[in-house]
Amino acid sequence: MSASSGCGCQETASSPSQDQVNRFPWEEFGLLGVAIAWFGVGLVLSVRGRLPLWGEWLWFIPAYLWVGWGVLTTAGRRLLKGKALDENFLMTIATLGAIAIGELPEALAVMLFYRLGEAIQDLAVDRSRDSIRALLEIRPDLANLKTAEGLEPVSPESVAVGAEILVKPGERVPLDGEVLSGESYLDTSALTGESVPRSVKPGEGVLAGSINQNGALTVRVTRPFGESSLVRILELVQQARQQKAPTEKFISRFARRYTPIVVALALAIALIPPLLGGSLTQWGYRALVLLVISCPCSLVVSIPLGYFGGIGGAAKQGILLKGSVFLDRLTDVSTVVFDKTGTLTEGSFEVTQVEANPPWDEEMLLHYSAIAESQSTHPIAQSISRAWTGPLDSNLLQTVQEYPGRGLRATLTNSKVCDIAIGNERLFQELGQELGLAPLSTSQGSGTRVRVAFDGQDAGTLEVADRLREDAPQAIQDLRDQGIQRIILLTGDNKTVAQAVGDRLGLDEVYSELLPEDKAKLLERWLREPRGPGAVIFVGDGINDAPALALADVGVAMGGGGGGLGSDAAIETADVVLMEDSPAKLVQAIAISHRTRTIVWQNIILAFAIKLLVIILGTLGLAGLWEAVIADVGVALVAVANATRAAKG
């Protein structure tokens, strides 16, 4: 029985190694079983009068030292460091006090059941980490690298970007990449929480950690293993344990102040009544009962475990939280602010209309617009490039200057057009004097209108349409049902399109034609408003959303990214990452946060209620050390078992 196993409940809550997590502590429980049997035999002999006083000392004290050595030495080390007042100190004083008044069987019983409770708590904590272990288990060991000599099994860490790998049916995808050949269905449930397999074909992205179900895929690697979706998920989950929720911090501070108060009360109970004529032995025994029942293990272990379970349960559903502090904040949300494109809408744009002004025709307008947009990663730009189905000579592109949230300007060589400006009306307001163009007509269609100028002349417009995400209307209604008071839309799109989306979803406020800095300014304004305890959430998916994500009380990033992991800037900045591009995941995250907080407060109330009851009974002489230790261990185990429910998501 190692000393470390008796180090106390705060160490119990720490993260064990993977080897520790995966093995059952047979040795620990075996030794405790022997100790319990030894105690039982000694108790029977003592009750029957077969053990004289010196026999009790010879029988119980060696067992007490064997079982409690870890607790005793830990209390001694902490005493020398000036940090004595913890649960090890409480158990040490209580049991030594019992020995001092001749209650040897009870001293051993207190230490034995305390150690048994600690061991069972350790096991419960380890078992509660199944969701995190499940993520660790999806880490692939090998990648089938295509070489000139054929397939070579290699470590995923050694595969370079651009290399080609073969993913056979039944294998896990080892790295993020793009399908070059083959079609199949991928099980992405461990990553996104989505149980329905996702169909993939050439040109589509795949995520490391997903399972190839039925067809061989040739994949070109797009990210090194260290930057893959899988590794970043694991890093996010591990980092989540570093940021504590306010309730966790409160309990840690409370425990540091609580123990000295308990010791002072125990001293008062032991000394004051005897000064007034009471029995020193009787009141000393009652003080020992107070010390035993006051051990704060059930709180110190179960509350962090509850939050950790909530984070793990959310991870199983494809919701990554970067700390329990954000899980806690999600329970007090008053305002949800959505970006539009790629968040409430699919972000899968299509060019629905081309209007060219003479002397240019529609084919020429679309062709040169596609060349200009060919290097941009913006969804609208990519839709314009896709709309041109002919040969695309991007070598004509000489320089590109992007204007975030507005459009771009490009110069071409060896073509009929030298200078191209393409974007929304805000871009042309900025370039108006230089280009000498009149304002665009305010008449709008159902989509986003993109204006194009060739060599300073108005060449025409492209209309690009987007679709609402299928689950967006129900997600907005579910947020209302969760008590969200205010739901707002922010977008760089034009007013007509933005208002149409807002009306369809029944949003409270719609702000359109915004630059990234405009979104950030609005967030700052709302955060300064008197709003009580309610938090402001911002939900976005792109690099343009990073400033707003950073400012919000809780920044939520759509991380699916159509097969990747969304915008790197958005993922790094956000506090919560939704692995599936679905507004319904936000509803699920808020529900998990409420469930976790409920479980945490159930544990707090249960622990304090039982402890207070036994303290009162012990002070009145109606409960002894036996009842105290059973109540303490029992409350701790019930609280831990309750906390593990949070991991179910």
Side-chain angles (χ1 to χ4, degrees), residues 318-329:
I319 302 164
L320 305 180
L321 296 113
K322 295 186 180 179
S324 53
V325 61
F326 305 116
L327 188 65
D328 217 47
R329 284 181 192 169

Side-chain angles (χ1 to χ4, degrees), residues 301-502:
V301 173
S302 67
I303 290 173
L305 179 58
Y307 281 110
F308 189 80
I311 291 170
K316 288 196 294 186
Q317 302 300 322
I319 302 164
L320 305 180
L321 296 113
K322 295 186 180 179
S324 53
V325 61
F326 305 116
L327 188 65
D328 217 47
R329 284 181 192 169
L330 285 174
T331 61
D332 296 314
V333 178
S334 62
T335 303
V336 176
V337 183
F338 283 100
D339 171 53
K340 181 180 75 69
T341 305
T343 304
L344 290 176
T345 63
E346 293 181 356
S348 179
F349 291 91
E350 294 179 354
V351 176
T352 57
Q353 188 174 349
V354 181
E355 295 181 1
N357 298 329
W360 298 281
D361 57 29
E362 293 179 359
E363 182 178 357
M364 187 177 184
L365 177 68
L366 186 57
H367 182 200
Y368 285 113
S369 298
I371 293 174
E373 298 279 25
S374 61
Q375 294 184 1
S376 176
T377 59
H378 193 281
I380 291 180
Q382 292 177 340
S383 71
I384 293 172
S385 295
R386 285 196 307 270
W388 175 253
T389 57
L392 188 67
D393 191 358
S394 57
N395 292 327
L396 297 177
L397 196 59
Q398 185 175 24
T399 63
V400 178
Q401 181 180 1
E402 293 215 32
Y403 298 80
R406 288 156 288 181
L408 59 81
R409 194 170 182 184
T411 56
L412 278 63
T413 59
N414 301 322
S415 68
K416 296 179 181 179
V417 177
C418 293
D419 180 84
I420 298 177
I422 180 168
N424 58 27
E425 190 57 26
R426 293 192 66 163
L427 175 65
F428 286 90
Q429 287 173 357
E430 292 181 23
L431 302 177
Q433 271 190 325
E434 184 178 343
L435 298 176
L437 299 176
L440 190 67
S441 168
T442 56
S443 62
Q444 299 284 344
S446 60
T448 300
R449 209 165 177 208
V450 180
R451 191 175 185 182
V452 185
F454 291 163
D455 294 328
Q457 298 183 50
D458 205 341
T461 58
L462 306 171
E463 188 170 289
V464 181
D466 192 8
R467 291 193 304 269
L468 279 179
R469 291 197 181 278
E470 187 177 345
D471 63 341
Q474 186 60 49
I476 297 300
Q477 183 56 52
D478 290 343
L479 288 172
R480 300 282 189 201
D481 294 342
Q482 287 179 331
I484 307 301
Q485 303 165 9
R486 190 180 179 196
I487 303 178
I488 301 171
L489 177 67
L490 302 184
T491 179
D493 214 336
N494 67 70
K495 183 176 181 180
T496 303
V497 174
Q499 194 60 53
V501 172

